[in-house]
Amino acid sequence: GQGVDEPLSATGFRQADAAGLFLSNVKFTHVFSSDLLRAKQTAAAILGKNRFCKDLEIKYDARLRERKYGVAEGRPLADLKAMAKDAGEQCPSFTPPGGETLDEVRERARDFFEFLCQLAVEVEQKGHDKPGAPGRSSGTSGEQFVFPWANHCSEAEPSSEGSGSSRVLDANILVVSHGAYMRNWIGYFVSDLNCTLPANLSKSQLSSVSPNTGVSHFIIKLEKGSLLNPKITCVCLNQDSHL
């Protein structure tokens, strides 16, 4: 939850370092993290291993915090499951006293995602406002955004769009958050925004919580800079080969 702000364990630091090595050749333009300590430490570890953006500012946002679990925070998962059973409900839909409902968590995720879309539009507009700004396509842009997905992910990698060269990404954003929160965010992508999923993804994989430092990659297209009806493609979900 969010009421117990514990640091990463020794295992957590090793996992964060492994994620950093895995993503070391990806050039991020922005980094956002939950303002809880374990997420802050994970984001710092990832950037610390990065070849291109060690000094990029990490922006902390309370909207990325883990789901609030009320009276169940700081207690074993078994206690939460027992509370749900006593209430005649199932995890994760059960809301402990003082906790957030799934709808409330999803609203936080929606609000933050719309903020990211607005940010991307502003980046695009600023690029066009600069005299002599480079075009959106560059033969070398592929060197700037190297994703290590190998063969275990979707074929939906960014590709050239008829120009014979890689398409420059306006924003390439790293977001560091928490398992239950991200499951709700992905649910919002799928149910509300019709996110395209990898063909080999099972329903159980879609509903599962990411392992610690699991990596998910989404491509967001905003047609002509419009914030309406973003087109979302999931390249990979909860990738954990670095572990």
Side-chain angles (χ1 to χ4, degrees):
Q2 51 180 260
V4 181
D5 196 13
E6 288 288 320
L8 290 176
S9 64
T11 298
F13 276 113
R14 287 195 297 271
Q15 292 171 332
D17 285 343
L21 287 172
F22 182 65
L23 298 172
S24 61
N25 289 319
V26 182
K27 186 175 182 180
F28 297 107
T29 59
H30 304 77
V31 180
F32 292 92
S33 169
S34 158
D35 61 352
L36 297 178
L37 182 56
R38 57 194 185 273
K40 287 181 174 181
Q41 291 173 327
T42 301
I46 292 172
L47 282 194
K49 300 288 185 183
N50 197 276
R51 290 179 55 201
F52 302 106
C53 43
K54 279 182 169 60
D55 298 325
L56 195 61
E57 179 187 3
I58 303 172
K59 296 184 178 179
Y60 304 111
D61 198 304
R63 289 173 293 185
L64 293 172
R65 287 181 181 178
E66 181 59 290
R67 183 185 180 189
K68 185 179 180 181
Y69 283 95
V71 299
E73 293 196 339
R75 297 168 63 177
L77 179 60
D79 287 6
L80 177 63
K81 291 181 176 179
M83 290 181 196
K85 184 176 180 180
D86 290 345
E89 298 183 38
Q90 296 281 330
C91 286
S93 57
F94 170 67
T95 302
E100 280 183 296
T101 66
L102 295 183
D103 285 344
E104 288 171 334
V105 178
R106 184 170 295 198
E107 179 61 23
R108 275 201 285 131
R110 182 195 64 78
D111 186 54
F112 184 77
F113 176 64
E114 290 180 354
F115 157 76
L116 288 186
C117 290
Q118 181 64 51
L119 173 70
V121 169
E122 290 173 359
V123 168
E124 165 79 359
Q125 291 171 343
K126 288 177 182 177
H128 283 177
D129 290 341
K130 292 178 181 177
R136 289 171 58 85
S137 293
S138 164
T140 60
S141 66
E143 297 172 8
Q144 299 175 358
F145 301 98
V146 182
F147 294 99
W149 306 141
N151 298 322
H152 41 247
C153 294
S154 164
E155 297 298 322
E157 284 285 1
S159 61
S160 62
E161 297 186 352
S163 64
S165 59
S166 298
R167 183 169 179 265
V168 174
L169 300 177
D170 298 307
N172 190 36
I173 304 171
L174 172 66
V175 177
V176 180
S177 185
H178 307 268
Y181 175 88
M182 289 189 291
R183 177 168 58 185
N184 279 270
W185 187 348
I186 293 164
Y188 162 66
F189 274 1
V190 173
S191 63
D192 292 36
L193 299 180
N194 299 313
C195 174
T196 301
L197 297 169
N200 59 351
L201 193 70
S202 68
K203 286 187 176 180
S204 62
Q205 288 174 307
L206 182 61
S207 62
S208 64
V209 173
S210 173
N212 287 339
T213 71
V215 177
S216 296
H217 179 197
F218 295 89
I219 300 170
I220 317 295
K221 291 185 178 181
L222 302 171
E223 296 295 336
K224 298 179 181 178
S226 172
L227 297 176
L228 300 176
N229 301 318
K231 294 183 179 179
I232 305 175
T233 301
C234 177
V235 177
C236 64
L237 190 70
N238 301 338
Q239 163 64 247
D240 65 352
S241 63
H242 55 285
L243 300 178

